[in-house]
Amino acid sequence: MKVHESLKSSDLEEERLLLELDADRLPQHIAVIMDGNGRWAQRRHLPRVVGHRAGVQSARTAIETCASLGISNLTLYAFSMENWCRPKAEIDFLMRLLRGYLRKELPTIHRNNIRMLVIGRTDQLPDEVRADIDRATEQTAGNTGMNLAVALNYGGRAELVDAFNRILDRVRNNGLANARVDEEMISRNLYTAGLPDPDLLIRTSGEMRVSNFLLWQIAYAEIYVTETLWPDFSRAKLYEALLDFQKRERRYGGLAQERHRVMA
Ligand code: FPP
């Protein structure tokens, strides 16, 4: 097949999947564990960092696609607290890549009315990364379109520890000896305060793990795991994940609609 013919057929496939989507039943918050950059590169006998570079393009595609579908919240797991265990050269490359992304994409993000947030222990990131994060979050703070949360130096357990400590501080500082914690209070003190919980969690590259990502928030999320490696996660692959989500029956521990009616 010639290149232009294969391009055309992938465009057609994209179009076909898009037409199948029910615009009224899209998730309101998609969280993504972008995994498989290293393997994508290794399979091509390329250095791992080439996979990360290709991963940035997939992130761009996912952001653009979610924004154009009108999805209100997208959270991307870009760097976990555990990622510090990687070789220094790979960590330095990832930091440079993220900075490059923040700088280069900021005008487009802003133009598209996207509000950028960064979640994680950002105070432990290098100063220059923090400066880029601050610029991006401050400049887009007033935007009213999609919320794009990028998880950087993020860990789900650390987020819960930080939330509990914030609550304890408030209790101590206000002399609230009889205060009790409830779910709402915990949610309000997470890095994701103000965002709805994800209703769809996507993980690429086939691993069946949640890897310390949004542990509290994914309590009721539908989980979609695909063998596709992150750099190959195209617009069409995202549509496939959304179609799969739309086939699921979300019960939150209750009964199926049909069964409800029979039992009533
Ligand atoms: C997993 O691949 C990916 C990461 C460690 C995160 C890096 C993500 C990007 C570069 C995407 C860009 C994101 C933004 C928001 C611009 P891996 O190295 O764990 O792959 P492997 O499991 O195959 O080794």
Side-chain angles (χ1 to χ4, degrees):
M1 201 185 267
K2 291 195 182 102
V3 173
H4 71 275
E5 283 171 356
S6 72
L7 276 180
K8 247 197 233 150
S9 74
S10 74
D11 285 354
L12 279 175
E13 174 65 358
E14 233 175 57
E15 195 70 17
R16 185 187 68 74
L17 292 165
L18 180 60
L19 286 171
E20 267 186 62
L21 276 177
D22 178 349
D24 296 327
R25 289 183 51 233
L26 289 168
Q28 57 168 344
H29 186 169
I30 304 179
V32 190
I33 302 177
M34 310 179 284
D35 195 14
N37 293 348
R39 275 164 283 171
W40 182 91
Q42 278 159 353
R43 283 181 197 173
R44 288 163 177 75
H45 308 287
L46 294 167
R48 292 175 54 81
V49 293
V50 179
H52 292 316
R53 205 183 282 288
V56 173
Q57 184 48 45
S58 292
R60 235 180 246 129
T61 304
I63 295 165
E64 241 177 64
T65 309
C66 287
S68 66
L69 286 172
I71 284 165
S72 313
N73 306 277
L74 173 67
T75 300
L76 301 176
Y77 204 1
F79 193 88
S80 73
M81 288 175 68
E82 291 78 17
N83 286 152
W84 294 110
C85 301
R86 297 190 176 203
K88 185 175 179 311
E90 183 171 342
I91 294 174
D92 289 348
F93 183 88
L94 278 170
M95 291 296 151
R96 276 201 306 277
L97 201 61
L98 287 161
R99 288 191 67 202
Y101 172 81
L102 289 171
R103 286 172 162 240
K104 200 160 149 244
E105 295 297 309
L106 185 55
T108 316
I109 299 257
H110 193 37
R111 202 171 45 247
N112 286 293
N113 197 22
I114 295 172
R115 181 169 76 113
M116 187 181 275
L117 300 91
V118 175
I119 59 169
R121 287 193 176 159
T122 49
D123 53 325
Q124 295 169 349
L125 289 167
D127 288 348
E128 60 281 10
V129 180
R130 280 207 342 252
D132 287 332
I133 289 174
D134 290 346
R135 187 172 321 109
T137 52
E138 279 160 23
Q139 197 176 326
T140 62
N143 290 349
T144 54
M146 184 173 82
N147 291 314
L148 168 64
V150 180
L152 275 182
N153 193 28
Y154 176 88
R157 287 188 173 187
E159 179 180 32
L160 284 165
V161 168
D162 290 350
F164 296 154
N165 279 320
R166 281 177 63 178
I167 294 170
L168 277 178
D169 284 347
R170 204 155 309 153
V171 167
R172 283 194 202 106
N173 296 340
N174 296 295
L176 305 168
N178 297 323
R180 291 186 67 78
V181 168
D182 59 21
E183 292 191 8
E184 220 277 306
M185 192 185 288
I186 293 174
S187 294
R188 242 187 304 125
N189 283 282
L190 297 173
Y191 308 142
T192 51
L195 303 185
D197 288 341
D199 33 12
L200 172 62
L201 171 68
I202 297 175
R203 179 167 192 148
T204 56
S205 95
E207 310 289 348
M208 302 296 231
R209 287 190 289 273
V210 293
S211 295
N212 203 13
F213 191 40
L214 303 176
L215 295 180
W216 175 271
Q217 299 90 328
I218 59 168
Y220 294 103
E222 295 295 330
I223 301 183
Y224 178 85
V225 177
T226 170
E227 289 295 326
T228 304
L229 303 176
W230 179 249
D232 291 326
F233 196 74
S234 59
R235 194 182 293 268
K237 299 279 180 192
L238 179 55
Y239 291 157
E240 280 170 12
L242 292 171
L243 284 167
D244 190 86
F245 171 82
Q246 294 189 336
K247 279 194 230 122
R248 314 259 183 114
E249 184 185 16
R250 310 198 68 218
R251 301 207 310 246
Y252 304 97
L255 298 178
Q257 278 305 330
E258 247 342 272
R259 197 162 146 70
H260 243 314
R261 250 177 263 134
V262 174
M263 303 279 288

